[in-house]
Amino acid sequence: GWLWAIHAFGLFAKVQSKLVALTIGKEYCASEGQRSVVLDGAKHVYSLVTVRLIYDYLNAPGQPSLGVRHYQTWAVCVMLTGRYLVNDNWRNVDFLRRVEAPGAALVFVDHLLFRDPHLDRACAILLTALAGLITHAVFLAQHRPKPARYHGPAEHEELRDFLDEATPRVLEREQEPPSSRVAAWFATQKTARGEAFATAYP
């Protein structure tokens, strides 16, 4: 249940906003789309607890450890891969990127390779990888320059030439008739009232 609680943060934000409005006034409420420091802090604490639960799930007494022959491994792998990989959450969601994804990786590396009481060697590996990434980003990576403002086709000759060349091909593709298989499928479909799709949606 704890891992699914990530979907309750929207509700938590509404409750927090109501409590703030009732206690210290509406002028202190976060407006729609505005970041909440309290909620951001709660998300990071939530991620810390999640990492601890993952550690217990793998290492607590009586747990079967990782292996392809039992449900526990498949359950945690499916849950976490979906949680981190869908929409690149491990990179795009702040509290997952900063706390939970690195923490989960740390726990898995330690569990598979070392089983240290304080995850010492796994921490050393993670810190070494982090130092390598920082070194690459600062000294080796080729950064694409970012223009100070947007240059549209009227000012950018190369972009204008590309659009002039690609536009006819795109428009031609959009005007192509649908395949016979798709057309045949739509011909057999009906709305809830029993009306043919072609009639209801000409």
Side-chain angles (χ1 to χ4, degrees), residues 10-159:
L11 175 62
F12 180 81
K14 290 181 180 179
V15 172
Q16 176 204 353
S17 181
K18 296 288 185 185
L19 289 175
V20 170
L22 290 173
T23 53
I24 59 177
K26 289 185 177 180
E27 62 272 17
Y28 295 100
C29 291
S31 59
E32 185 72 25
Q34 184 179 355
R35 294 181 71 92
S36 165
V37 176
V38 174
L39 186 58
D40 281 348
K43 290 176 180 178
H44 286 73
V45 172
Y46 165 84
S47 283
L48 283 172
V49 176
T50 302
V51 172
R52 175 66 199 195
L53 291 177
I54 293 171
Y55 177 84
D56 288 339
Y57 187 78
L58 297 177
N59 298 300
Q63 296 295 344
S65 183
L66 291 176
V68 295
R69 295 177 180 270
H70 54 75
Y71 168 80
Q72 178 163 332
T73 299
W74 292 104
V76 72
C77 288
V78 168
M79 172 69 80
L80 295 183
T81 51
R83 185 180 180 89
Y84 300 142
L85 298 185
V86 171
N87 297 323
D88 283 340
N89 286 337
W90 68 274
R91 179 171 53 192
N92 296 325
V93 180
D94 289 343
F95 64 96
L96 295 182
R97 181 181 70 250
R98 295 170 182 163
V99 180
E100 192 173 316
L106 187 73
V107 169
F108 271 87
V109 168
D110 175 78
H111 181 80
L112 291 171
L113 301 178
F114 306 119
R115 310 285 180 97
D116 291 335
H118 303 293
L119 289 73
D120 305 323
R121 286 175 284 185
C123 284
I125 290 175
L126 190 66
L127 290 174
T128 303
L130 180 61
L133 289 174
I134 292 173
T135 302
H136 179 270
V138 173
F139 298 108
L140 303 174
Q142 298 293 325
H143 299 285
R144 296 182 64 182
K146 184 178 180 181
R149 65 181 184 85
Y150 170 72
H151 297 277
E155 303 174 276
H156 196 291
E157 184 178 353
E158 186 179 349
L159 176 60

